[in-house]
Amino acid sequence: MDAATLTYDSLRYGEIEDFPETSEPVWILGKQFSALTEKDEILADVASRLWLTYRKNFQPIGGTGPTSDTGWGCMLRCGQMILGQALICRHLGRDWTWSPGQRQRAEYISILNAFIDKKDSYYSIHQIAQMGVGEGKSIGQWYGPNTVAQVLKKLAIFDSWSRLAVHVAMDNTVVIEEIKRLCMPWLDFDRGACAASEEPLEMNGDLEGACALAEEETALWKPLVLLIPLRLGLSDINEAYFEPLKQCFMMPQSLGVIGGKPNSAHYFIGFVGHELIYLDPHTTQPAVDPDEGGQFPDDSYHCQHPPCRMHICELDPSIAAVSNCRGLPMFELVESQPSHLITADVLNLTPDFSDSDRLERFFDSEDEEFEILSL
């Protein structure tokens, strides 16, 4: 068996470490818990996150490709988990909890079906692997987090139900002007001219044009998934960033962190003391096959035991932050794009892959191995 598949398989046989008996608060994706009095609530909250792991015996990727992602798909699975959390917040709310063995809401079934391992699911391993070819990654090749981010950004264009805007901030800088343009694209259209047009306008690759939006929808902010790659040290993370990093998990908008050491990615969802809490995709489970109604056993998509933990000092210093936290600033927030940054056309969400070489150069450095996202 590949050593990469042992993490949770081993833990199932009695090696699970429970949360420490500590008065320090436990923070998970913007919610605070007590390790002394709320362990059941902690486990229920962890179990309500989508746990997407290696799978085997699914349809061959591309028709003739691999039927398992064991050994190469951990970063892809972490990307799925972080986007899955975004969809849960979008359609069910942060306070939604998973109830095993009970009838689930239709929205939950739709979210889960978006990640099923088959070619026609929005965010399946098949879609991510094949879209990654446009980013210079062969099917079966290990991804860095920035490649996953760019692929998910492009796949999100086709998800007209969720209508998420995915943005990757560059050069440690969040440009407010770019966020507004991305999240309120209809403000660029003249509604009178649009109403007279016979052809639907295309908005950021979404073929539902501005004219198709109801009056009340035009005033809404398109839900945002924001990634801000950073480097918080040279070979090790600088201790000055410990607290600002932990504060990111305290934000109610937090979607967590994806990343890890080379060839080993994790999905970080919170912290207790100086330990980060994470879900590990490194176990191989059989692929599931939904029935005609999209129903299938979902127990294997939820972690029903205490999650893993690691000390914050073990982190690679390459991360990405989502807010101005107290302490040493981790990134810059500006109103408009500074002249030294690259042009905004790199951020275009239309499904045009002509910029893949530039995107690879800017976003897929192996020195940038963590992403923090928010919705």
Side-chain angles (χ1 to χ4, degrees):
M1 179 184 292
D2 192 311
T5 69
L6 294 176
T7 304
Y8 272 101
D9 292 334
S10 298
L11 289 175
R12 287 179 180 140
Y13 293 95
E15 297 181 13
I16 299 172
E17 183 180 357
D18 206 348
F19 277 95
E21 296 290 333
T22 176
S23 60
E24 294 188 90
V26 177
W27 283 94
I28 298 177
L29 300 177
K31 296 185 70 173
Q32 181 178 351
F33 301 91
S34 168
L36 298 176
T37 62
E38 297 180 297
K39 284 193 177 180
D40 289 344
E41 289 82 355
I42 292 171
L43 293 179
D45 196 63
V46 170
S48 296
R49 305 314 109 213
L50 292 186
W51 180 43
L52 296 159
T53 72
Y54 291 149
R55 296 276 172 170
K56 62 182 179 180
N57 301 326
F58 49 64
Q59 300 170 3
I61 297 176
T64 58
T67 59
S68 173
D69 62 312
T70 298
W72 60 271
C74 58
M75 185 64 76
L76 284 68
R77 296 300 184 179
C78 288
Q80 287 181 320
M81 283 191 273
I82 206 123
L83 192 60
Q85 180 60 20
L87 296 184
I88 287 175
C89 291
R90 172 79 169 102
H91 298 292
L92 299 171
R94 173 62 182 87
D95 293 333
W96 173 83
T97 56
W98 175 66
S99 301
Q102 298 185 17
R103 183 176 181 82
Q104 305 293 342
R105 290 173 54 176
E107 296 91 340
Y108 165 78
I109 298 299
S110 295
I111 291 171
L112 206 52
N113 271 280
F115 298 96
I116 292 299
D117 300 307
K118 57 183 183 178
K119 62 181 181 180
D120 56 349
S121 296
Y122 280 134
Y123 307 110
S124 66
I125 195 77
H126 299 67
Q127 293 281 9
I128 297 175
Q130 291 184 286
M131 188 70 80
V133 173
E135 298 294 329
K137 296 292 185 180
S138 302
I139 294 175
Q141 184 177 356
W142 197 87
Y143 283 19
N146 291 314
T147 299
V148 171
Q150 296 301 325
V151 168
L152 292 178
K153 180 174 77 171
K154 290 176 178 177
L155 291 177
I157 297 168
F158 304 99
D159 184 359
S160 59
W161 176 52
S162 300
R163 296 181 61 84
L164 292 177
V166 180
H167 178 67
V168 181
M170 298 174 295
D171 293 340
N172 302 350
T173 305
V174 176
V175 182
I176 296 175
E177 185 180 82
E178 292 177 351
I179 299 297
K180 289 180 178 178
R181 185 166 58 248
L182 185 67
C183 294
M184 298 187 290
W186 43 85
L187 295 183
D188 294 333
F189 295 99
D190 180 89
R191 293 189 57 77
C194 179
S197 174
E198 294 182 358
E199 297 295 329
L201 294 175
E202 183 172 333
M203 285 197 318
N204 289 329
D206 189 340
L207 297 182
E208 300 176 19
C211 298
L213 295 172
E215 287 291 335
E216 62 272 16
E217 286 182 307
T218 62
L220 296 180
W221 178 274
K222 199 173 182 181
L224 172 69
V225 175
L226 176 63
L227 303 89
I228 315 171
L230 300 170
R231 188 169 186 86
L232 304 181
L234 296 177
S235 60
D236 299 298
I237 187 170
N238 190 321
E239 291 185 8
Y241 294 111
F242 283 8
E243 293 305 316
L245 176 59
K246 290 195 295 184
Q247 288 170 24
C248 292
F249 292 104
M250 299 165 66
M251 295 178 60
Q253 301 90 350
S254 175
L255 297 179
V257 178
I258 59 174
K261 299 298 181 181
N263 302 317
S264 182
H266 305 303
Y267 173 36
F268 296 89
I269 58 175
F271 73 92
V272 54
H274 283 306
E275 290 185 315
L276 298 183
I277 300 167
Y278 65 94
L279 298 177
D280 192 335
H282 298 92
T283 190
T284 303
Q285 303 186 86
V288 301
D289 188 16
D291 60 26
E292 293 183 359
Q295 302 285 335
F296 55 89
D298 63 344
D299 285 10
S300 66
Y301 287 89
H302 296 273
C303 178
Q304 300 177 63
H305 47 67
C308 299
R309 306 192 311 275
M310 73 162 59
H311 196 281
I312 192 171
C313 70
E314 297 178 40
L315 280 177
D316 185 279
S318 296
I319 68 165
V322 292
S323 73
N324 285 321
C325 300
R326 294 184 298 273
L328 197 60
M330 295 195 297
F331 65 90
E332 184 179 7
L333 184 67
V334 298
E335 184 63 36
S336 58
Q337 188 179 60
S339 59
H340 67 277
L341 294 183
I342 64 172
T343 57
D345 63 339
V346 177
L347 302 176
N348 184 17
L349 292 183
T350 57
D352 176 3
F353 305 141
S354 60
D355 287 323
S356 61
D357 290 342
R358 267 194 299 171
L359 290 169
E360 184 77 14
R361 182 169 68 255
F362 281 111
F363 295 131
D364 195 38
S365 167
E366 291 304 317
D367 288 333
E368 295 180 341
E369 292 172 349
F370 286 85
E371 307 288 344
I372 297 180
L373 299 89
S374 72
L375 180 69

